[in-house]
Amino acid sequence: SEKIIEINPLRLGFVTSDTNLRSGAGTNFKVILTVPTGTELKVRGKVEGRNWYIVELSSQSNPGKISIQGYVHGNLLALLK
């Protein structure tokens, strides 16, 4: 399985275009949902040696609700300082 390099403390980022949130680090993995341009994500880690990040998406409608976790490609992700 993929080795994840944890980003601690986690960073905030946003997607720079409509982006597929996937169940794994690759386009062969199932799309969980499509994240609209500008959506803010919590960036939890990076897949070692690959340009894929593991991110968490909070529910906009219900912030208390459990967030959705998945993978996005680094080219579509901008990290905030």
Side-chain angles (χ1 to χ4, degrees), residues 57-66 68:
L57 179 65
S58 302
S59 167
Q60 296 302 316
S61 54
N62 181 1
K65 192 169 161 257
I66 193 70
I68 300 163

Side-chain angles (χ1 to χ4, degrees), residues 31-76:
V31 175
I32 298 165
L33 53 85
T34 301
V35 183
T37 308
T39 302
E40 200 171 88
L41 303 165
K42 291 178 188 150
V43 184
R44 305 205 67 91
K46 183 179 188 295
V47 178
E48 188 176 47
R50 305 199 37 220
N51 196 16
W52 285 86
Y53 289 83
I54 188 162
V55 299
E56 207 170 88
L57 179 65
S58 302
S59 167
Q60 296 302 316
S61 54
N62 181 1
K65 192 169 161 257
I66 193 70
S67 49
I68 300 163
Q69 196 166 276
Y71 293 79
V72 295
H73 195 271
N75 288 358
L76 303 167

